[in-house]
Amino acid sequence: MPEEVSTLNPNKWIDNYADYLFNYAVVRVNDSDLAKDLVQETFFAGLKSAKNFEGKATERTWLVSILKRKVIDHYRKINSNKGKAEVRMNFYADGDNEGNWIEERVPQSWDNASEKDIENEELKTQLDLCISKLPEKYAMVFKMKTIQEFETEEICKELDITASNLWVIIHRARTQLRKCMEDNWFNN
Amino acid sequence: MMFKKFLINCDQATTICDKSQYNEATLLDKVKLNIHFLRCKICTLYTKQNVFLSSMYKGQAKSCKQIKHCLTDVEKTALKKSIESKI
């Protein structure tokens, strides 16, 4: 029996895959306009390279593999936005105090932290606000790991970063978020 | 000194603490962290607060997963048009 070979049917792409691809993109880049752009670029790239489609994978798998590249490209772009895209330092980077807390960044006790507040809508809004203040790279990795709950290995593979790289980003993002929530919620 | 390799600074301690929020710190990491706690009140506080933050993030994750992301029909029609123009 001949092996089944998939064929491309671009006229049906939107109906069949737009939502799937959009969802795939939006949980990674956390921005629906950007996700929409990535999906559109994926379809365009798919049309352009349709002649290279060998039919070994399904149409959807093939489109997802294109979108994956778009997500990595986006991550690399925001990762290379040096300078403006860094979080504030919390620890001395060198000298005798290397690795110690910088005085004005030392955690303070919270006046206003109660378990029952966790479901509070205002708190969620403040949290979203603090996350949105993170440089994009930090927000993206933090959210993939913490909000979308991806495995470490999967994030590393998808963004082409090492695990230690990932933990540095998570650590900086969390320290920054802690400080933001402290200033704007817990001790406000 | 043997003991020395168990000593870490606050930056390293809080990194381990962050890792352990996802249950991904190793046993050795946790030993180092607990030794650090003996002489550092700040990181002890950081850890306590971090546990609280984690439960907050969990709540956020839960409400986030309930949202189904879809494109609107208008967006799909626009997308279709732009693709048709390239076929």
Side-chain angles (χ1 to χ4, degrees):
Chain A
M1 230 173 82
E3 238 179 276
E4 211 175 305
V5 175
S6 320
T7 51
L8 295 182
N9 195 352
N11 291 312
K12 291 263 175 228
W13 279 359
I14 307 292
D15 292 329
N16 290 343
Y17 312 116
D19 281 330
Y20 182 84
L21 295 177
F22 178 68
N23 207 57
Y24 182 98
V26 86
V27 301
R28 285 160 176 82
V29 301
N30 297 297
D31 173 327
S32 57
D33 285 335
L34 176 63
K36 217 165 66 187
D37 287 347
L38 293 181
V39 171
Q40 176 162 348
E41 285 172 29
T42 298
F43 287 137
F44 288 169
L47 285 176
K48 227 171 150 183
S49 56
K51 58 182 180 308
N52 302 326
F53 180 73
E54 293 173 339
K56 284 180 186 155
T58 63
E59 201 176 23
R60 189 175 88 172
T61 309
W62 184 71
L63 287 168
V64 168
S65 72
I66 298 175
L67 179 54
K68 273 188 181 169
R69 295 298 321 167
K70 302 277 171 207
V71 172
I72 288 198
D73 288 347
H74 172 71
Y75 178 77
R76 291 201 174 131
K77 202 174 95 200
I78 58 179
N79 190 26
S80 67
N81 288 346
K82 289 255 158 64
K84 62 172 184 182
E86 281 303 314
V87 290
R88 279 191 61 184
M89 298 289 291
N90 291 284
F91 305 92
Y92 292 103
D94 45 34
D96 289 344
N97 278 330
E98 186 184 343
N100 289 349
W101 286 97
I102 293 172
E103 278 85 357
E104 72 266 21
R105 308 287 291 176
V106 165
Q108 306 298 312
S109 331
W110 293 342
D111 307 327
N112 177 19
S114 133
E115 290 291 335
K116 66 176 192 305
D117 273 351
I118 285 176
E119 294 296 314
N120 182 324
E121 286 305 315
E122 278 177 65
L123 179 139
K124 287 184 177 175
T125 310
Q126 181 58 53
L127 180 58
D128 274 337
L129 202 68
C130 284
I131 294 176
S132 72
K133 283 187 195 156
L134 288 173
E136 210 180 340
K137 168 177 94 168
Y138 295 90
M140 181 173 173
V141 176
F142 172 79
K143 285 187 116 181
M144 276 178 85
K145 182 71 191 148
T146 318
I147 308 296
Q148 305 297 341
E149 299 178 317
F150 282 80
E151 299 291 336
T152 299
E153 206 180 321
E154 173 148 27
I155 301 175
C156 290
K157 212 175 96 193
E158 286 194 10
L159 303 182
D160 196 22
I161 58 177
T162 63
S164 61
N165 201 330
L166 173 135
W167 289 116
V168 169
I169 295 171
I170 295 285
H171 173 50
R172 291 188 182 157
R174 289 186 72 111
T175 331
Q176 183 86 353
L177 280 177
R178 199 208 70 82
K179 176 78 174 141
C180 179
M181 289 303 289
E182 178 170 296
D183 294 346
N184 295 292
W185 183 269
F186 296 118
N187 289 352
N188 188 13
Chain B
M1 214 166 76
M2 246 290 275
F3 192 61
K4 219 171 174 177
K5 69 175 180 205
F6 290 105
L7 296 183
I8 50 175
N9 62 37
C10 296
D11 195 3
Q12 294 162 323
T14 48
T15 303
I16 293 175
C17 173
D18 287 334
K19 252 186 182 174
S20 76
Q21 300 307 308
Y22 306 88
N23 290 323
E24 293 185 50
T26 64
L27 185 62
L28 178 63
D29 279 345
K30 287 184 203 158
V31 170
K32 288 178 182 171
L33 182 60
N34 279 288
I35 291 173
H36 185 83
F37 286 159
L38 296 175
R39 55 193 183 100
C40 183
K41 290 236 162 17
I42 304 174
C43 291
T44 312
L45 176 65
Y46 179 90
T47 303
K48 200 182 120 204
Q49 293 174 337
N50 214 6
V51 172
F52 185 84
L53 291 173
S54 290
S55 51
M56 211 172 78
Y57 300 148
K58 266 256 153 60
Q60 199 82 343
K62 224 170 82 193
S63 43
C64 220
K65 286 205 172 127
Q66 286 162 355
I67 306 169
K68 178 104 179 63
H69 302 280
C70 285
L71 290 167
T72 63
D73 287 339
V74 179
E75 289 169 326
K76 282 184 191 167
T77 312
L79 208 49
K80 264 185 195 165
K81 273 201 183 118
S82 69
I83 288 198
E84 276 161 12
S85 69
K86 303 226 171 190
I87 294 179

